[in-house]
Structure formats: C-alpha cells, structure tokens
Amino acid sequence: MPGKRATRLTPDQRREQLIGIGLEMLADRSLDELSTDEVARRAGISRGLLFHYFDSKRDFYRAVVRAACDRFSAATEPDGGLEPVAWMRAFIAGFVAYVLEHRQVYLALVRGAAGSHPAVTDIVGETRETLARRLRDGQRRLGVPDVPRQELALRAWMAFAEEAVTTWPVDDSGDGAAGARDELCAFIEASFVGLLGLLDRPGRLTSR
Amino acid sequence: MPGKRATRLTPDQRREQLIGIGLEMLADRSLDELSTDEVARRAGISRGLLFHYFDSKRDFYRAVVRAACDRFSAATEPDGGLEPVAWMRAFIAGFVAYVLEHRQVYLALVRGAAGSHPAVTDIVGETRETLARRLRDGQRRLGVPDVPRQELALRAWMAFAEEAVTTWPVDDSGDGAAGARDELCAFIEASFVGLLGLLDRPGRLTSR
C-alpha cells in the first residue's frame, strides 16, 4: 500500500501498530495461536523487523496483553468526583460496555487459556486485582462496612458478573441493543445489591 | 511388583486402572500434559498395551474426563425422596465436597484449558448442563417460579459458586476443616437464596 511503508512510521507508531494488530487477532484466537509471522505480514513488514521492536515473542505477547488490560482498566475507572451511586453505576456500565465490545479478547484473557499463559499471568492477575480494588472502593463509597469473607465474596461476584455479561444475549447490530444493554446493567446492579445483602444478612433456604 | 503383572487384570479392570492413573495425574497437570507414556509406565505396562485398551490418545482422554464427570454427577445427585430444603442442602454439600476434594481436577476441567480442549468439550458441556438441571430441579422443588433470564442467572451463579469453593481457605488436614466446610456450605446456600431474591425482586443501589 502506498504511504504505508515501514519507513513512514516512528518506532513508537510502529510498536503501537503491531500491538493493535495483535489485539485484533486475539479476537478470534488464543495467545498461543497468535503468530508473529502473521502479525508481521499484516503490518507489511518482515518478521525480523518485528523483532527489532520486541525482544522476543514473549515480549510481544506481554505488550499486547498489557495494552488490552490497560484499556480494560481505563474503561472501568469512573470519574472520582461522582456521587456514590452514580460512581458504582458508571463502573458497572464501563465493565459491561468493555466486555460486550471485546467479548472474545476478554474471554481469551480471563477465562481462556491465555489467562494462565505463563508469559502473562502476572499482568492478568494485576488487572483482576485492579477490578477487585474498584469494587472495594465502590462499596466504601456506598457506605457499606467491611465484613468477613468480603474479599472472597467480591471475587466470586466478579465470576458471576463475567459469566452474565459474556453469555447475555446482546446483538449490538440490532434495534434492541441499547435496551438489552440497559437490562444487563440493571441485572448486574441488582446482583451487586444482592451480594451486599448476602454479606449483611445471609439467608437460609425455606420452602415456599 | 509381584501380583501386579499385566496378565492378572481383566480387560475391564485394566481399563479402570489406567483411567484411575489418568485421574490421579490430572490433579497436577492439564489434559495436554497428560502423557500416555507416563500412564503406561505407572501401570507397569507398555505404551502399546495401553493402546490395546484405548483406540487413541483422544479416546483415553475422553475416558478419563468421562470418569471425572460421572463421579461429579454422582456426588451432586441428592436422594430424590428428600424434602425440598434438605434436597437442596444435600446438593450443595455434595458439590462443595466434590470440588474441595478434587479441586485441581475440577479447575483443570471446568476453568482451565482442558474445558476447552476439543477432545472433551462435549463431555464437560454435558456435565455443566447436568449441574444446571439439578439447580432448576432444586428451584422447582422449593416452589420458586420460573422467571425471565433465569437460565442465565443460574449459570452465572454456578460461576460464583465455583469461584467461592475453589478459593475458600479450607485446610482439610487441620482441626477447623469441618467448621470451615460448614461455613462454606452456609455461604453457598445464602448466595443461592440471594440469587432467588434477585430474580424475584431485583434491587437498585442506594447510598447508606
């Protein structure tokens, strides 16, 4: 393609381009299936040149996963000046929007094999920690006191929310997309309220 | 080992022995890392003889995963004659006991790479379906009506319960093991009650 030759990009732009291609490709394959040959080919450069920008395949994988996790962290960080309820809703909306838009990447990183890929476990782990921290922050803002087993309960709720968002039937191209997304946000909100209730007053089964 | 020679076992016993070794080995490795060479060595037979009992590596993997899933299904099936609340508690206790005792196998099959291993996805999928069916059954026994999004909510709750049980700090060798297990069962029960409440009357966030 004219104007797309390797020499036109600065090193930073080139790195960014290669990471972007890696992110796109993660949408339909696992980290192990992400071929650096294919990334170089799509960028129109040689494999050798790719390794001028990244020390190794591992280094490239880490850069791609780091970029995905940074975007996820940014998408789930509400404006600190919001009121507690609005803050928590912005957090939920950001989480839902990110996961819906990047469902495959999210699954590949968090639930799939990539999350346990030895090259990136630390980055994925840090990102889950960031998410857990935001939840604790939201809970504190809402004035909900800490209780025993809270950390574990919050992480179990994260698994609940991930499962709900990744399996919720949302067709982003359809007319009902906005309604389905609102319903999903309300469901996630209600489940978080339910979690707080569970920690506050654990229920026991009864027959109706 | 005397008395352990290949000729001493019937074909059924031999298959069972090899599957048992596979199950033991799954406790500390993924399905991909399960070497049939190592299985044969542990059984004291040749690799060739192993493939007399199983058509292929894939066939062996499927037999091992099928055995793990059958045990899981049996462990989570309460006596049909129990009262609704007792039935649901027996289901929860069976689930908790199985996952605590076979935590690594469970993680390898359900959350790890093995769950998405192409040779066994159907078996793991069927087993998740069995678990979801038991939950619907329990809900019906308790007299809780069906609501929209119930199936999705039940599956999200399964992710919650799995995360809670696999991360709950239970040291089975310690004195407090039984107490910790009871506390965990009560937590899972309370979260299920919370789920039913969520479906019944979805809450909205409020500041305290």
Side-chain angles (χ1 to χ4, degrees):
Chain A
M1 276 176 284
K4 275 268 191 180
R5 288 182 323 174
T7 48
R8 289 294 190 88
L9 300 183
T10 66
D12 279 356
Q13 288 172 329
R14 177 64 73 189
R15 270 182 68 93
E16 211 171 295
Q17 178 208 26
L18 294 167
I19 290 170
I21 292 170
L23 283 172
E24 268 170 36
M25 288 172 62
L26 259 197
D28 59 13
R29 74 202 73 194
S30 71
L31 205 53
D32 270 327
E33 294 161 338
L34 187 59
S35 142
T36 39
D37 281 351
E38 172 74 6
V39 172
R41 202 189 56 68
R42 291 195 186 191
I45 64 170
S46 69
R47 188 161 179 279
L49 188 53
L50 184 146
F51 286 115
H52 176 72
Y53 296 99
F54 299 95
D55 290 344
S56 59
K57 198 162 182 163
R58 177 189 153 88
D59 185 36
F60 177 67
Y61 282 178
R62 288 182 64 81
V64 171
V65 171
R66 174 69 71 189
C69 288
D70 283 352
R71 288 178 191 193
F72 176 68
S73 292
T76 55
E77 181 165 27
D79 177 343
L82 290 171
E83 295 298 315
V85 169
W87 189 96
M88 195 66 207
R89 287 196 179 135
F91 166 76
I92 289 171
F95 175 79
V96 165
Y98 181 91
V99 179
L100 288 180
E101 196 173 338
H102 307 279
R103 208 183 278 229
Q104 290 314 315
V105 173
Y106 192 84
L107 285 173
L109 289 181
V110 176
R111 281 277 167 254
S116 53
H117 193 292
V120 300
T121 13
D122 60 333
I123 304 175
V124 174
E126 273 167 38
T127 309
R128 293 187 76 70
E129 181 45 47
T130 301
L131 198 62
R133 207 169 45 240
R134 296 227 207 297
L135 279 170
R136 286 194 297 271
D137 187 11
Q139 192 179 357
R140 220 170 8 240
R141 284 165 184 266
L142 290 165
V144 179
D146 280 14
V147 292
R149 304 295 182 202
Q150 170 169 310
E151 183 65 25
L152 191 142
L154 287 179
R155 285 177 186 268
W157 181 80
M158 277 162 54
F160 178 97
E162 280 164 11
E163 179 73 20
V165 179
T166 51
T167 57
W168 196 268
V170 170
D171 174 9
D172 274 320
S173 61
D175 282 345
R181 187 178 288 214
D182 288 349
E183 192 200 344
L184 172 53
C185 285
F187 179 76
I188 299 292
E189 176 175 330
S191 72
F192 186 72
V193 174
L195 177 80
L196 299 181
L198 156 69
L199 292 172
D200 208 20
R201 303 170 299 276
R204 299 283 282 165
L205 284 165
T206 50
S207 244
R208 298 200 178 183
Chain B
M1 275 177 286
K4 276 270 190 176
R5 287 183 323 171
T7 47
R8 289 294 192 89
L9 301 182
T10 66
D12 279 355
Q13 288 171 328
R14 176 63 73 189
R15 271 183 67 92
E16 210 171 297
Q17 178 206 28
L18 293 167
I19 289 170
I21 292 170
L23 282 172
E24 268 171 37
M25 287 173 64
L26 258 197
D28 60 13
R29 73 203 74 195
S30 71
L31 204 54
D32 271 326
E33 295 162 338
L34 188 60
S35 143
T36 39
D37 282 351
E38 172 74 9
V39 172
R41 201 188 57 71
R42 291 196 187 189
I45 64 171
S46 70
R47 189 161 179 277
L49 189 54
L50 185 145
F51 286 114
H52 176 73
Y53 296 99
F54 300 94
D55 290 343
S56 60
K57 197 161 181 163
R58 178 189 153 88
D59 185 36
F60 177 67
Y61 282 177
R62 286 180 66 80
V64 170
V65 171
R66 174 68 73 192
C69 287
D70 284 352
R71 288 176 191 194
F72 177 69
S73 291
T76 55
E77 182 164 27
D79 176 343
L82 289 172
E83 296 298 316
V85 169
W87 189 96
M88 195 65 208
R89 287 197 178 135
F91 166 75
I92 289 171
F95 175 77
V96 165
Y98 181 91
V99 178
L100 287 180
E101 197 173 340
H102 306 281
R103 206 183 281 230
Q104 290 313 315
V105 173
Y106 192 83
L107 284 174
L109 290 181
V110 176
R111 281 277 168 253
S116 52
H117 194 291
V120 300
T121 10
D122 59 333
I123 305 176
V124 174
E126 272 168 37
T127 308
R128 293 188 76 70
E129 182 44 48
T130 301
L131 198 61
R133 205 168 47 241
R134 296 228 206 298
L135 277 170
R136 287 194 296 271
D137 187 9
Q139 190 178 0
R140 220 171 8 244
R141 285 166 183 265
L142 290 164
V144 179
D146 280 12
V147 292
R149 305 295 185 202
Q150 170 170 309
E151 183 65 25
L152 191 143
L154 287 178
R155 285 177 186 267
W157 180 81
M158 277 162 55
F160 178 98
E162 281 164 12
E163 180 72 18
V165 179
T166 50
T167 57
W168 196 269
V170 171
D171 173 8
D172 274 322
S173 60
D175 281 346
R181 186 177 290 215
D182 288 349
E183 193 201 342
L184 172 53
C185 285
F187 179 76
I188 299 292
E189 175 175 331
S191 72
F192 186 72
V193 174
L195 177 80
L196 300 180
L198 157 68
L199 292 172
D200 209 20
R201 303 170 301 277
R204 299 282 282 164
L205 283 165
T206 50
S207 243
R208 299 205 174 176

